[in-house]
Structures are given as structure tokens and as C-alpha cells.
């Protein structure tokens, strides 16, 4: 199982008064109970998803109702029978539909994180991607400079920066690989659209 839960506290600002503080404390306690139940039911620890990151993985930046509406539109565009809950009298889309699209975005992001972790466990792929990363002009210059300054402290510091930048570049390459596979019609038999 891949279980993802929106981190309800991630997008919150600091409480302004005692009522907000109590509401946030209650939300955090409820989230903790849900995480415990997920561990018990699914025998897997849930992945906490920052809602803003889930939206950004879809190319939606920003917060609030507009960003949630964009996620809803993307979900409806990618899934032909995405559930839409409308008000009976006015026919307007209800907030419950936005909650469903938020859940879809979080599930999609959790699945993507699991696929990236799976790719990272393949030593051959990771070594090839690191070599490819080190071929870029920026990282090649950084590597040469670190080698010139080695064994002094600036050389060691640059090696740490090089390792960090290489991992960042590898992460970007992994995401590009997943994007390309998604465009080609699915990820190793699994579609990110579902």
C-alpha cells in the first residue's frame, strides 16, 4: 500500500488567538489519530504530503481557492469521469469536489514519491544519472575546483556542495524520467492519472 495524508498543519499560519490555537491543536491530534489508524489498518506508515508540494507537482502554484480550483480543473481534464458534486439548486460545484481533487493530487504525489524511491533503489540507474549529472558544465567546474582545493577545508566544503548539487540534479532527472514515461502512457504499468 501507498498511503498518503495531507499534512493539515503544513499550510497553516501561526494561530492568532486561543480559538485558532485550540482548532489547530485539535486538527493536529486528529491527524495523529488518523496516522495511527493507517499504520494499524494498512501495516504501512502513511506519507505526509504537503498540499502545496502536491499542487506544485501538477504545475499549480499559489494557495487558496484559486489554486484548488486549478487542481480540480486538471483532475477533470485528466480523468474523464472525475466525480463532481454540484449544488442541487444552483448547479455550482461544491467544496466537496475540491476536497476530492485535493485528495487526488495528494495520492498522485504520494505515488510519484514511491516511484522515485523505487528508482533510487536501483544502483545502476543512480550511478548512470550521477555520471550524467557530473557531465554538466556547472558540476564539472565545481568538481575540478574541489579537486584542486583538496585536502584543505574549502575543498571539503566544495565536495559537500558538489554532492548536494549532484543529488538535486539526479532528482530532477528522475522526475523528467517519470514525466516522459507518463507522457508515453504509464509508469511501468501504473498510470499516474489514477
Amino acid at each position: 500500500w501507498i498511503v498518503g495524508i495531507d499534512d493539515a498543519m503544513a499550510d497553516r499560519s501561526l494561530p492568532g488567538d486561543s480559538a485558532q490555537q485550540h482548532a489547530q491543536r485539535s486538527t493536529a491530534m486528529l491527524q495523529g489519530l488518523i496516522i495511527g489508524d493507517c499504520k494499524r489498518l494498512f501495516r504501512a506508515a502513511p506519507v505526509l504530503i504537503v498540499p502545496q508540494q502536491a499542487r506544485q507537482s501538477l504545475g499549480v502554484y499559489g494557495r487558496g481557492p484559486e489554486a484548488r480550483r486549478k487542481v480540480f480543473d486538471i483532475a477533470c481534464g485528466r480523468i474523464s469521469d472525475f466525480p463532481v458534486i454540484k449544488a442541487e439548486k444552483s448547479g455550482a460545484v461544491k467544496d466537496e469536489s475540491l476536497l476530492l481533487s485535493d485528495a487526488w493530487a495528494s495520492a498522485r504525489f504520494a505515488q510519484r514519491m514511491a516511484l522515485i524511491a523505487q528508482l533510487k533503489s536501483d544502483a545502476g540507474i543512480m550511478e548512470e544519472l550521477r555520471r550524467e549529472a557530473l557531465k554538466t558544465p556547472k558540476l564539472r567546474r565545481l568538481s575540478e575546483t574541489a579537486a584542486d582545493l583538496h585536502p584543505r577545508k574549502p575543498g571539503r566544503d566544495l565536495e559537500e556542495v558538489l554532492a548536494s548539487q549532484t543529488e538535486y540534479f539526479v532528482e530532477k532527472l528522475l522526475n523528467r524520467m517519470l514525466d516522459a514515461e507518463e507522457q508515453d502512457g504509464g509508469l511501468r504499468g501504473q498510470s499516474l492519472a489514477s
Side-chain angles (χ1 to χ4, degrees):
W1 289 92
I2 301 171
V3 180
I5 296 177
D6 271 355
D7 188 354
M9 303 310 293
D11 282 347
R12 300 266 176 125
S13 61
L14 294 174
D17 58 20
S18 62
Q20 287 178 345
Q21 186 176 15
H22 178 70
Q24 285 189 9
R25 187 178 317 119
S26 297
T27 301
M29 288 180 2
L30 180 60
Q31 182 172 313
L33 291 171
I34 291 170
I35 290 170
D37 283 346
C38 285
K39 287 179 183 177
R40 185 177 52 81
L41 291 172
F42 299 108
R43 290 178 171 66
V47 178
L48 282 177
I49 306 294
V50 177
Q52 188 173 4
Q53 289 178 334
R55 288 190 298 269
Q56 287 174 353
S57 73
L58 296 170
V60 176
Y61 296 90
R63 297 180 181 187
E66 290 177 31
R68 294 181 70 209
R69 174 63 71 169
K70 288 178 186 176
V71 170
F72 174 75
D73 292 341
I74 290 170
C76 289
R78 291 191 185 175
I79 301 172
S80 60
D81 60 346
F82 191 81
V84 178
I85 302 170
K86 295 184 178 183
E88 289 182 28
K89 292 183 180 178
S90 66
V93 175
K94 294 178 77 176
D95 281 345
E96 287 83 354
S97 295
L98 299 181
L99 290 172
L100 289 171
S101 62
D102 290 344
W104 170 79
S106 292
R108 186 179 185 281
F109 187 69
Q111 183 185 29
R112 186 176 193 93
M113 287 173 48
L115 290 169
I116 286 176
Q118 183 180 357
L119 288 171
K120 283 183 174 182
S121 69
D122 186 334
I125 289 176
M126 291 304 290
E127 186 58 34
E128 183 180 332
L129 291 177
R130 282 189 186 100
R131 272 190 260 120
E132 189 175 328
L134 290 171
K135 289 179 184 176
T136 62
K138 176 183 175 183
L139 294 182
R140 192 173 48 236
R141 281 191 310 270
L142 193 57
S143 176
E144 291 168 358
T145 305
D148 289 344
L149 294 173
H150 191 76
R152 295 174 287 188
K153 180 158 176 31
R156 290 190 304 269
D157 291 346
L158 277 179
E159 285 175 352
E160 289 176 16
V161 171
L162 176 64
S164 170
Q165 289 293 309
T166 302
E167 289 307 310
Y168 173 76
F169 193 82
V170 165
E171 189 84 20
K172 283 176 61 174
L173 288 174
L174 287 170
N175 277 296
R176 285 185 195 154
M177 284 173 56
L178 291 179
D179 290 342
E181 287 187 42
E182 182 182 1
Q183 295 299 321
D184 291 341
L187 294 162
R188 298 183 184 187
Q190 304 169 355
S191 172
L192 279 177
S194 56

